[in-house]
Amino acid sequence: MPDFNRVGVICEDEFAPENNQNNRKDEGRSSGVSEVFGTVLTLLSVVFILFTFPFTGWMCAKVIQEYERAVVFRLGRVLKEGVKGPGLFWIIPWIDVIKKVDLRTVSFNIRPQEVLTADGVPLKVDAVVFYRVVDPSLWVTRVENGYKATNTLAQTTLRAALGAHTLTDLLTQRTSVAKRMEVVLHSASRLWGVQVERVELKDLTLPVTLQRCMASEAEAARRARAKMIVAEGEVKASRALKEAASVLSPLAFHLRYLQALSSVQSSASIVVFSLPTELLNMFFSKHCSFTQVRELNVRKVD
């Protein structure tokens, strides 16, 4: 029994290539027969069109606009000439099928997608995508519904691209994130004959609680920055006053004082005069000595 099993496996391995070769031969024969039949049918159709040209000419003539291209299928296969148009061209109506493709730029909005960023922040993001068809043959033969497939691909790419970034990166580097998304979309859709021209992020919607936290944080940062600016201004003003005091002479200082008094309004009821501290010290010292002498005299009288 083991010998028969071993022989059976060897026979299967030996005859498998022969089966593949037989299948290829059968496929080649069937394709050759279909090509011959298609050629004969095409020649007969052309002869029929030539004999009945005045009546069948209007059926064979097709016009394609400047922004359109036509992919022609003859007996189920794309013609070797490729894409037809723009302008006037001829077909065989009963064996040719035309698929028109618009080459103009198409834009569509990606509906808001719920995205979780790399730092765990939930967002709702929507975007707009601009693309156009550059290879009509691939656009017709590679994808069933190119518009729907491109829209679905854009949605999934948006989630994947934004989920790999933090909230700070999305807020500060929106252009670079959109460029990366454009590259990913183009590399995935170029197999369909599509060229993605531009991707723009329209709106980033944050939760209300997160918006309040960010507003509080921004307000605190602004207050701290304002206090730092005021402190720096006071330091600069004190330095400037110190330098001015060291440069001004007593006479110039007195003239500056008189100029300040002249700028006081005449209707002012109270005028404040500034006195040097030395003069005040002399006055207080004399007043103290006078009071001490008076107290001594009072004690002597007593």
Side-chain angles (χ1 to χ4, degrees), residues 24-186:
R24 291 176 183 175
K25 289 180 181 180
D26 294 337
E27 291 177 358
R29 291 174 183 174
S30 60
S31 62
V33 172
S34 62
E35 288 179 0
V36 172
F37 179 75
T39 304
V40 173
L41 185 59
T42 303
L43 291 176
L44 292 176
S45 301
V46 171
V47 171
F48 178 77
I49 291 172
L50 291 176
F51 278 107
T52 60
F53 177 72
F55 302 99
T56 58
W58 64 274
M59 297 176 58
C60 299
K62 297 294 180 181
V63 178
I64 295 297
Q65 302 295 331
E66 183 67 30
Y67 55 85
E68 292 179 336
R69 296 296 183 270
V71 181
V72 181
F73 292 87
R74 179 162 295 171
L75 297 175
R77 295 186 178 182
V78 180
L79 291 180
K80 295 181 180 179
E81 292 81 2
V83 181
K84 299 288 186 178
L88 178 65
F89 63 96
W90 304 89
I91 64 169
I92 303 174
W94 46 84
I95 62 174
D96 290 347
V97 178
I98 298 176
K99 296 291 185 180
K100 293 183 180 180
V101 179
D102 196 335
L103 301 184
R104 292 176 292 182
T105 300
V106 181
S107 64
F108 64 89
N109 293 322
I110 303 175
R111 61 182 182 180
Q113 302 291 318
E114 293 185 357
V115 180
L116 188 65
T117 60
D119 51 352
V121 179
L123 292 176
K124 279 189 176 181
V125 187
D126 58 345
V128 59
V129 179
F130 300 86
Y131 73 94
R132 64 186 182 91
V133 179
V134 294
D135 194 336
S137 180
L138 294 179
W139 179 255
V140 173
T141 57
R142 290 291 183 90
V143 61
E144 180 180 0
N145 189 347
Y147 300 102
K148 182 178 180 181
T150 306
N151 195 344
T152 306
L153 179 63
Q155 292 179 10
T156 56
T157 305
L158 178 64
R159 295 194 194 98
L162 299 185
H165 295 81
T166 61
L167 178 61
T168 305
D169 294 338
L170 295 179
L171 295 177
T172 58
Q173 302 177 5
R174 295 181 63 172
T175 304
S176 60
V177 173
K179 284 291 183 183
R180 295 192 191 102
M181 184 178 172
E182 179 181 339
V183 172
V184 174
L185 272 176
H186 178 68

